[in-house]
Amino acid sequence: MEERESVFRRQLVKVHNVPLFWSIAEEWAQVETFQARTDDLLIATYPKSGTTWISEIVDMIYNDGDVERCQRDAIFNRVPFMELIIPGMSNGVTQLAERPSPRLVKTHLPVQLLPKSFWENNCKMIYVARNPKDVAVSFYYFHQMAKMHPEPGTWHEFLEKFVAGEVVFGSWYDHVKGWWEKKKSHPILYLFYEDMKENPRCELQKVTQFLEKEVTEEAQEKILHHTTFQEMQKNPTSNYKLLSTGEMDHSVSPFMRKGITGDWKNHFTVAQNERFDKDYTEKMAGSTLKFQMEI
Ligand code: A3P
């Protein structure tokens, strides 16, 4: 009998010049025609930038800080990953179509690939960005444990691919700058992982104001506590341990890995750092976007 090719560890396939998982590329027509609703809230990020963290915060706001209600289901069901289509495993488009409003929708798509119904419906959007050095390190470990990604190779090889934008969802630079520009013409709350680490209360207040939600003092305290790294790391509904080990192998590297800013210093050599900084300066020239590489 002919052996079926595994869905995992396959080469990325470009859609409009952006590398995506092969199965997203194959089913791109479904993603492109996704039907947004006016009361959808879109959570957009480049991978490894704090998507799960902001998702948990927003779900808690929507549920008035009720911890039990937020543990009703895994984060990937409470905030479905719109474009993730893996045959026989997951389809964010159909999953979301079945969900009641108001929906929370996760995407990693660069701004130019977002289905047009989100713009037509003038949906609110929250974007979270994280400094690229920590993203690269986090992404490297994530490639090792999450099997939809191609094999990352050595750290050095992976860093080269990351800098060149030859990773799933493409260039970090294009992503953060693209969404930053879009903020001028659309209701997008643009947050930074480093600010969330430094001053979680202040960032939480920005989110509640943006969502026009009243949150009591008590609920706010519960949200702040429940969404710390330590709490989310041990919470099975937010730490991704409910997925099969075939998809994510936490024994290789846990999804909730370190949750800090500046871990890149434990990975970049001096030469890698100098090269990265030079490239960063060139690619970010002319942008008003600023990142904190340490806090
Ligand atoms: P590290 O690998 O650096 O630890 P995403 O959800 O976008 O995939 O991002 C995952 C990264 O966010 C991981 O980074 C993870 O540990 C970190 N993270 C998740 N929840 C967090 C929290 N509550 N506080 C700080 N970092 C968190």
Side-chain angles (χ1 to χ4, degrees):
M1 210 169 75
E2 200 183 317
E3 209 177 297
R4 261 184 61 205
E5 194 178 0
S6 166
V7 296
F8 298 124
R9 296 293 189 211
R10 286 177 49 177
Q11 291 240 318
L12 302 173
V13 177
K14 286 190 178 174
V15 172
H16 300 294
N17 223 21
V18 177
L20 297 178
F21 294 134
W22 67 274
S23 47
I24 300 182
E26 239 169 50
E27 298 298 330
W28 183 247
Q30 282 192 55
V31 177
E32 203 171 25
T33 55
F34 178 84
Q35 289 303 304
R37 302 178 193 156
T38 47
D39 56 358
D40 282 345
L41 176 75
L42 184 75
I43 294 176
T45 55
Y46 189 81
K48 312 323 290 172
S49 301
T51 328
T52 317
W53 189 7
I54 192 71
S55 297
E56 191 69 37
I57 291 173
V58 172
D59 188 48
M60 285 211 79
I61 295 174
Y62 270 51
N63 286 287
D64 305 313
D66 186 328
V67 175
E68 259 176 44
R69 237 190 295 154
C70 290
Q71 292 182 345
R72 69 196 178 282
D73 207 342
I75 194 69
F76 47 84
N77 291 325
R78 286 181 282 142
V79 187
F81 187 174
M82 177 187 59
E83 66 271 21
L84 187 65
I85 300 179
I86 311 175
M89 280 187 190
S90 137
N91 184 325
V93 175
T94 51
Q95 191 188 0
L96 279 158
E98 287 159 11
R99 286 191 70 87
S101 295
R103 303 181 299 186
L104 302 177
V105 180
K106 161 182 165 180
T107 187
H108 285 321
L109 291 174
V111 74
Q112 74 278 14
L113 290 192
L114 191 74
K116 65 177 186 328
S117 62
F118 283 99
W119 309 119
E120 289 165 353
N121 282 290
N122 204 31
C123 297
K124 281 192 175 180
M125 302 175 183
I126 298 180
Y127 187 85
V128 182
R130 185 184 192 184
N131 83 71
K133 295 181 185 177
D134 283 328
V135 168
V137 170
S138 182
F139 215 1
Y140 174 58
Y141 284 99
F142 191 53
H143 271 67
Q144 297 178 36
M145 67 85 73
K147 308 292 167 63
M148 266 314 276
H149 300 89
E151 290 284 357
T154 63
W155 159 241
H156 190 75
E157 285 163 353
F158 180 76
L159 185 60
E160 296 280 307
K161 279 187 269 193
F162 178 82
V163 167
E166 295 298 330
V167 288
V168 67
F169 301 107
S171 155
W172 174 88
Y173 295 92
D174 293 347
H175 210 282
V176 295
K177 287 194 289 185
W179 281 95
W180 182 251
E181 284 308 306
K182 196 71 184 179
K183 189 166 88 70
K184 292 178 185 159
S185 58
H186 193 87
I188 299 172
L189 177 68
Y190 200 107
L191 301 174
F192 296 90
Y193 179 99
E194 293 75 20
D195 293 343
M196 289 167 62
K197 282 289 316 177
E198 243 181 346
N199 199 339
R201 188 177 302 273
C202 171
E203 299 311 295
L204 171 61
Q205 282 165 1
K206 281 187 198 165
V207 177
T208 54
Q209 269 170 26
F210 178 72
L211 297 176
E212 298 169 277
K213 300 268 190 208
E214 294 289 331
V215 178
T216 63
E217 196 64 32
E218 195 194 340
Q220 213 183 101
E221 293 309 319
K222 278 197 199 155
I223 296 172
L224 287 171
H225 175 70
H226 181 78
T227 60
T228 56
F229 179 74
Q230 287 68 21
E231 287 301 310
M232 285 182 60
Q233 188 182 33
K234 63 183 184 205
N235 175 358
T237 65
S238 61
N239 67 14
Y240 275 91
K241 290 202 176 156
L242 292 172
L243 277 186
S244 72
T245 38
E247 278 175 86
M248 286 191 187
D249 188 348
H250 296 265
S251 70
V252 174
S253 174
F255 182 92
M256 292 288 169
R257 200 181 57 88
K258 284 197 179 171
I260 58 170
T261 293
D263 189 39
W264 62 268
K265 291 182 192 165
N266 299 316
H267 295 81
F268 279 65
T269 63
V270 172
Q272 283 170 343
N273 194 38
E274 279 173 8
R275 220 173 133 217
F276 194 96
D277 282 346
K278 187 169 171 287
D279 183 67
Y280 179 93
T281 309
E282 281 166 20
K283 288 185 176 144
M284 296 302 277
S287 174
T288 50
L289 196 45
K290 297 280 173 276
F291 283 88
Q292 295 188 81
M293 306 289 182
E294 50 198 298
I295 52 177

